Amino acid sequence: MSTNNDNTASTLIKHDFTDAEDPFALFEQWLKKAQDNEINDPTAMSLATVDSRGMPNVRMVLLKGFDRQGFVFYTNFDSAKGEELLNAKKAAMGFHWKSIRRQVRIRGNVEIVSDEEADAYYASRPRGSRIGAWASKQSHPLESKYALEMEVAKYTAKFGISAIPRPEHWSGFRIVPTSIEFWKDGAFRLHDRMLFARKDSSDSWRKTRLYP
Ligand SMILES: Cc1cc2nc3c(=O)[nH]c(=O)nc-3n(C[C@H](O)[C@H](O)[C@H](O)COP(=O)(O)O)c2cc1C
């Protein structure tokens, strides 16, 4: 299996990658490339948390916003991840884009997005998804699929054709990064790794190349 299918265009990006000083700009560039190449869900990322006993947990979520403040996704705050994030206030996340053979790893502190930001995103979701946010007690035991369908029917009837408010238990988390590592596949497993790290969001980034 080929491990590196660089053409002239991606060689240029590789040059940008090793020279880059701004991890947010580099992430934006890589995400754009992933969006142009991945067959689905280029914004899918693994989200790692830790529970109150120190046991790690991981699952996929979708990145729904990203800027210099951090990386935003939405979920149910009463879910396992919600409770773990509210408790530990730290998380890690990983992107793996198979089509372009790249990985980005991010670690950082967790904040809750503003109500205005969460309302705006919630309002942009399809009506069925907004009802689903009310109907699903995410991560809690569900006795049957029928019980979930009954919850969906209940909230569909309750809201009728009126506006559906955002449930209090449903909002977004922002991971404010303290490290962002870019990984690009190389021949014979001699991959390129570039780690950007800082103490907190007021600090400047330090860049270190890592052995593969
Ligand atoms: C590609 C993909 C994207 C997902 N995106 C989200 C998401 O954005 N938010 C969310 O709450 N769950 C999302 N899920 C479901 C989660 O992986 C998980 O099953 C759910 O959130 C419950 O996780 P928890 O019990 O650890 O809280 C996604 C699953 C997949 C496979």
Side-chain angles (χ1 to χ4, degrees):
M1 190 169 67
S2 144
T3 53
N4 197 342
N5 60 355
D6 266 355
N7 54 26
T8 313
S10 55
T11 306
L12 281 175
I13 284 184
K14 183 174 179 179
H15 178 76
D16 290 341
F17 161 50
T18 51
D19 283 357
E21 297 298 335
D22 177 356
F24 293 115
L26 185 59
F27 179 81
E28 188 172 25
Q29 190 184 328
W30 280 31
L31 180 62
K32 168 80 174 63
K33 192 170 171 66
Q35 285 168 326
D36 291 343
N37 287 279
E38 286 292 296
I39 53 165
N40 56 34
D41 290 339
T43 61
M45 62 190 199
S46 54
L47 169 76
T49 53
V50 66
D51 74 13
S52 55
R53 293 161 300 146
M55 178 65 86
N57 211 347
V58 67
R59 81 292 284 157
M60 302 302 291
V61 294
L62 296 178
L63 180 73
K64 289 294 177 184
F66 140 72
D67 59 19
R68 279 172 192 280
Q69 291 182 71
F71 300 84
V72 173
F73 64 92
Y74 289 88
T75 194
N76 184 319
F77 277 36
D78 297 332
S79 66
K81 82 179 89 45
E83 288 179 0
E84 288 159 8
L85 289 166
L86 291 169
N87 182 41
K89 299 187 176 61
K90 292 182 180 67
M93 49 195 263
F95 294 86
H96 175 216
W97 296 301
K98 292 190 179 66
S99 62
I100 57 172
R101 298 193 173 94
R102 294 177 194 208
Q103 169 180 234
V104 176
R105 297 166 62 181
I106 296 166
R107 303 169 81 198
N109 301 307
V110 171
E111 293 177 357
I112 299 172
V113 304
S114 69
D115 284 347
E116 295 71 33
E117 193 173 346
D119 287 344
Y121 173 65
Y122 184 75
S124 76
R125 305 179 85 211
R127 194 169 180 85
S129 304
R130 281 179 273 154
I131 287 175
W134 281 97
S136 174
K137 299 178 185 65
Q138 193 177 57
S139 313
H140 290 80
L142 172 63
E143 64 183 68
S144 66
K145 183 77 192 230
Y146 178 70
L148 175 60
E149 286 164 359
M150 287 298 287
E151 287 296 303
V152 171
K154 182 176 100 185
Y155 285 106
T156 303
K158 175 175 171 167
F159 293 118
I161 55 164
S162 59
I164 304 174
R166 177 174 59 86
E168 255 181 38
H169 63 256
W170 193 98
S171 186
F173 287 107
R174 173 176 285 106
I175 300 179
V176 181
T178 50
S179 75
I180 308 180
E181 184 203 312
F182 295 85
W183 180 104
K184 186 171 184 292
D185 180 76
F188 307 112
R189 312 247 173 250
L190 299 178
H191 317 298
D192 286 308
R193 296 178 64 188
M194 206 55 85
L195 174 67
F196 292 83
R198 61 181 182 178
K199 277 201 293 291
D200 55 44
S201 57
S202 64
D203 193 15
S204 52
W205 292 105
R206 284 170 299 283
K207 188 170 93 168
T208 313
R209 187 186 272 277
L210 302 176
Y211 277 97

